[in-house]
Amino acid sequence: MGPASPREGRGRAMRPCTAHADSSHPRDVIVETRQDAGVRQEEARRVESNAGKPRGVLYPRPDSRHFAHVRVLPSEDLRPWVEHFWAVRWDLRGQPPVSQQTLPHPSVHWAFEAGISRVGGVNPGRFSVTLEGLGGVFSIKFRPGGFFPFVGTPLSTLTRRTVSPGMLLGPEALELEAAILATDVTRDADPERIALAESFLRARLPAPDPNVALVQGLVTRILEDRAVTKVEDLLTPGGPGLRTLQRLFNRYVGVNPKWVIQRYRLHEAAERLRESPPPELARLALELGYFDQAHFIRDFRRIVGRTPAGYARQAARYPL
């Protein structure tokens, strides 16, 4: 899942929503590895419980014999800004193309891929990609609100867009791009790429900004508290008002808080609809904060491309 999203189309990698790991890396690694990684699979399983469930993946990843997807947490000093590093590699030579779909998170991604390295803002829709041949992507996923301090540009200007990293971070960003691509992103060399990326970011650590922690706390609350179903649920005595919240989210995240609430609830809806049997739609709509079942079905179909019932039937054929 690339920059904000690497361009949609053949051979483009998608956003990281499932987790895999290479236990040879000294830091925390999230979830499983390739099927042919041998003994490292056992170590990957050991840390799987720390990763949480993947969110936003609509359909399963390709066969792990032909596909690797790695997520690695950053060093401690970078965690206020960076959520994780991720890499996708595929070798589908002699295999049919594979389509993947996700519902992107409210995050900026800086993706490194030969010929199309980009920084991308939040993609409000559904992200689709077709993987074919031999390819790979390495990316930095910033926490919601975590990219703004590096550039000082309202992230609403990046929403639905991908731009050259040099435009936002200067010529040194292009030097980093060249160094990372020189490692050949189709091969397993993630620790080397992470070291390069972390060195670049450390040299540009922004000044403390209390709004970053404020926004991130609100996003975490939306993610974890199912009782938050509308923006008014985020208001607290002595806290920022409604208009201030709107301005903060547009500036620091790139989308308004209503969008973030809806996106995380749709993530939850997709997860629940993969249950067997799937929940009753009217009850699920109510639990997710919808006024009625019809509004839920409309929103789900508009973003996911299928009705909830149709998605449940399709997802049952491809369990995660």
Side-chain angles (χ1 to χ4, degrees):
M1 317 172 205
S5 38
R7 286 198 307 270
E8 185 171 326
R10 290 184 177 268
R12 303 291 180 253
M14 64 178 207
R15 300 281 176 285
C17 294
T18 57
H20 304 233
D22 177 355
S23 63
S24 64
H25 196 278
R27 285 192 293 278
D28 299 325
V29 182
I30 307 179
V31 220
E32 60 181 330
T33 61
R34 293 190 194 197
Q35 191 173 13
D36 61 0
V39 295
R40 292 186 296 183
Q41 285 187 321
E42 288 304 316
E43 177 65 12
R45 293 190 190 100
R46 187 181 64 80
V47 300
E48 185 172 359
S49 61
N50 297 328
K53 294 182 179 180
R55 296 176 65 97
V57 180
L58 293 178
Y59 301 104
R61 58 184 171 81
D63 188 330
S64 60
R65 291 173 297 178
H66 308 290
F67 179 90
H69 181 183
V70 178
R71 296 193 306 173
V72 180
L73 295 176
S75 295
E76 194 72 35
D77 60 324
L78 293 173
R79 293 186 186 184
W81 300 279
V82 177
E83 186 162 326
H84 58 250
F85 301 97
W86 61 267
V88 174
R89 292 180 289 276
W90 63 93
D91 187 352
L92 295 170
R93 292 173 293 186
Q95 302 293 322
V98 173
S99 295
Q100 295 280 271
Q101 296 183 31
T102 67
L103 296 181
H105 292 239
S107 300
V108 168
H109 293 256
W110 180 0
F112 302 81
E113 182 177 5
I116 59 165
S117 297
R118 308 288 280 178
V119 173
V122 177
N123 177 354
R126 180 176 78 254
F127 178 68
S128 301
V129 66
T130 299
L131 306 179
E132 63 179 2
L134 176 69
V137 181
F138 172 80
S139 184
I140 307 167
K141 179 182 179 181
F142 291 86
R143 295 183 64 188
F147 186 69
F148 170 81
F150 287 93
V151 295
T153 300
L155 291 194
S156 57
T157 64
L158 275 179
T159 302
R160 297 184 178 88
R161 297 179 59 213
T162 63
V163 300
S164 166
M167 292 178 58
L168 295 172
L169 296 160
E172 295 88 353
L174 300 180
E175 295 174 8
L176 174 64
E177 175 187 337
I180 286 179
L181 292 180
T183 66
D184 183 1
V185 293
T186 66
R187 69 181 182 89
D188 184 358
D190 299 316
E192 181 181 353
R193 298 178 195 114
I194 290 169
L196 290 167
E198 290 197 336
S199 177
F200 177 91
L201 294 173
R202 282 197 185 95
R204 293 158 181 80
L205 286 183
D209 183 343
N211 285 330
V212 172
L214 173 62
V215 167
Q216 290 175 347
L218 291 168
V219 171
T220 298
R221 184 179 167 198
I222 293 170
L223 175 64
E224 296 179 352
D225 186 354
R226 290 178 58 189
V228 177
T229 59
K230 57 185 183 300
V231 180
E232 288 76 10
D233 293 331
L234 297 173
L235 301 179
T236 57
L242 191 61
R243 291 186 179 179
T244 300
L245 283 182
Q246 302 281 5
R247 288 195 297 268
L248 283 171
F249 270 70
N250 281 317
R251 184 172 180 83
Y252 283 81
V253 182
V255 288
N256 61 50
K258 179 180 178 180
W259 184 94
V260 178
I261 293 170
Q262 183 190 57
R263 178 50 48 96
Y264 283 150
R265 297 302 162 258
L266 286 178
H267 283 178
E268 182 177 354
E271 181 178 331
R272 297 280 303 280
L273 289 166
R274 289 195 295 267
E275 296 174 356
S276 181
E280 195 271 323
L281 291 184
R283 186 181 79 251
L284 179 59
L286 183 63
E287 291 175 357
L288 296 176
Y290 281 90
F291 179 73
D292 57 31
Q293 180 177 334
H295 284 81
F296 168 56
I297 292 174
R298 181 194 63 192
D299 278 358
F300 192 92
R301 183 172 187 171
R302 177 173 57 86
I303 300 299
V304 177
R306 296 177 183 270
T307 65
Y311 173 75
R313 288 192 297 270
Q314 182 75 3
R317 298 171 53 194
Y318 305 103
L320 287 176

